[in-house]
Amino acid sequence: MAVPTFEELLASAQRSAIHLEMRDGYMPSDPAFAAWKEGKLTDPVGGDADFQQWLDWVSAAASRGVEFRRARVFSVPESDYIRFEHFSSAANIKAGEDVRWLPRRQATDIAFPGNDFWVFDNELVLVLHFTGDGELAPDGLELTRDEHVLRLCTAAFEAVWERAIPHADYQLS
């Protein structure tokens, strides 16, 4: 199945978009992450055109009534990248996402798929494949409507969401 762009996926979503992140680090090559680590990024958007574009897509979909929920499962103490995500989540929330945090130790009894994913309108799963260092793999996007994958992903997400801590209430260690 050909994989549409994120912009196309978000534009076609009618009701919901859920995203589960389970890695402690992503894209170390991200200039915004590097700037944040150096103490040079004080604004979550920080002139990052790609991030601003993402926020615009989310905002447009949310204004059409699409519900966005993002949950993160992570190790404590938090990695630098998780701290960066916590810092930048205010912009995601302002654009229309609801974000929650679940320390990995509180997720031991949850059955997870092997990869991060998005589910659109409870019918389409976008699986994200990353390299060992956290970069998106060259063939890193896989789209499926497989019912087994859909059930596993939505069940895992809902189990995490139920016990995860809302962004406004999660304090970094």
Side-chain angles (χ1 to χ4, degrees):
M1 179 182 302
V3 179
T5 65
F6 269 104
E7 180 180 20
E8 292 167 335
L9 288 165
L10 295 178
S12 67
Q14 299 298 310
R15 300 175 306 284
S16 64
I18 61 174
H19 182 37
L20 185 61
E21 298 176 9
M22 300 177 286
R23 297 180 55 93
D24 287 324
Y26 295 88
M27 305 188 299
S29 64
D30 179 358
F33 176 53
W36 175 84
K37 280 179 41 175
E38 294 169 3
K40 297 177 182 175
L41 184 65
T42 57
D43 173 356
V45 178
D48 183 335
D50 290 339
F51 188 40
Q52 183 59 60
Q53 186 175 51
W54 170 258
L55 298 173
D56 291 345
W57 296 340
V58 169
S59 181
S63 70
R64 293 191 329 270
V66 176
E67 176 187 35
F68 279 86
R69 295 185 294 157
R70 179 188 300 257
R72 295 183 172 121
V73 177
F74 58 95
S75 301
V76 175
E78 300 87 352
S79 68
D80 283 347
Y81 198 87
I82 294 299
R83 291 175 174 283
F84 169 67
E85 285 189 321
H86 191 271
F87 165 77
S88 62
S89 289
N92 295 81
I93 291 165
K94 186 176 179 183
E97 292 187 44
D98 192 355
V99 178
R100 293 189 183 182
W101 303 83
L102 184 65
R104 195 173 310 283
R105 285 185 172 262
Q106 296 175 26
T108 301
D109 61 340
I110 298 173
F112 288 109
N115 299 288
D116 290 11
F117 61 85
W118 281 89
V119 176
F120 299 95
D121 294 332
N122 201 32
E123 60 187 40
L124 184 64
V125 180
L126 179 66
V127 180
L128 307 173
H129 299 281
F130 291 91
T131 62
D133 65 357
E135 299 292 343
L136 189 63
D139 59 347
L141 303 177
E142 176 187 353
L143 201 59
T144 183
R145 292 182 185 275
D146 180 282
E147 286 294 323
H148 173 73
V149 173
L150 177 64
R151 282 192 304 274
L152 175 62
C153 290
T154 55
F157 181 87
E158 294 303 337
V160 168
W161 191 257
E162 182 177 304
R163 65 179 75 164
I165 302 161
H167 177 74
D169 298 332
Y170 184 72
Q171 299 298 312
L172 296 169
S173 62

